Amino acid sequence: IKDKRLLLIDDSIVRGTQLGETTQFLYDSGAKEVHIRTGCPPIMFGCEYLNFSRSTSEMELITRRTINELEGYEVTDRKILEEYADPDSEKYKLMVKKIGEKLNFTSLSYLRLDDMLDSVGIDKSKLCTCCWNGKK
């Protein structure tokens, strides 16, 4: 690794296991910094239509595990989860910071849901956003 600073772009962080292992490999190979950028917002809810995450429980999602750690209990209240899904909230910022620390990233940034939806060019009422904000 020449520069010793790496920027990784990934489509999503579901459970955190794969990217965590990749990051450790990069550090073991000489990287001094690993900055992560994702192509979608944090996945907060299980998908009702696809089983892309292979999760048997929403508690396997790194976001939900992190929220539970921050709150000190298993959070199921939609209002609290919506606060964590809002990229302008302090809870969201704290969650992202904690995920980055847990996975040993130098920095972590997710694509905002509103920016992602704007980039698609399809009427928002025709898109499912349930796994990101819990809204069908």
Side-chain angles (χ1 to χ4, degrees):
I1 298 174
K2 240 180 188 179
D3 187 312
K4 305 282 187 197
R5 294 174 296 167
L6 295 170
L7 172 63
L8 293 179
I9 300 173
D10 205 341
D11 60 343
S12 63
I13 302 173
V14 180
R15 290 177 303 282
T17 51
Q18 181 179 356
L19 203 48
E21 291 169 0
T22 301
T23 301
Q24 188 56 53
F25 170 77
L26 293 170
Y27 283 124
D28 291 346
S29 299
K32 298 294 181 203
E33 297 179 1
V34 178
H35 302 270
I36 305 294
R37 302 297 178 265
T38 65
C40 75
I43 297 173
M44 304 285 290
F45 302 91
C47 180
E48 294 183 20
Y49 306 107
L50 301 172
N51 190 15
F52 68 92
S53 70
R54 296 189 195 143
S55 294
T56 56
S57 163
E58 288 183 334
M59 295 310 141
E60 288 185 25
L61 302 172
I62 193 161
T63 51
R64 296 297 284 276
R65 291 193 321 266
T66 303
I67 291 167
N68 291 345
E69 289 172 20
L70 291 169
E71 294 292 326
Y73 65 96
E74 187 172 315
V75 177
T76 57
D77 183 311
R78 291 294 259 221
K79 281 194 147 324
I80 294 172
L81 294 171
E82 287 173 9
E83 286 181 65
Y84 280 100
D86 177 1
D88 294 321
S89 75
E90 290 304 314
K91 287 189 179 225
Y92 174 92
K93 293 171 189 164
L94 185 59
M95 176 190 69
V96 171
K97 180 179 182 222
K98 185 74 168 175
I99 291 170
E101 289 171 358
K102 287 172 75 149
L103 297 178
N104 203 20
F105 304 152
T106 306
S107 69
L108 170 62
S109 182
Y110 288 91
L111 181 64
R112 291 175 58 107
L113 180 58
D114 52 352
D115 291 338
M116 185 182 73
L117 295 175
D118 288 344
S119 72
V120 173
I122 298 172
D123 186 317
K124 291 175 181 136
S125 67
K126 296 180 181 178
L127 298 171
C128 178
T129 60
C130 190
C131 61
W132 297 300
N133 63 6
K135 299 175 184 173
K136 295 180 190 177

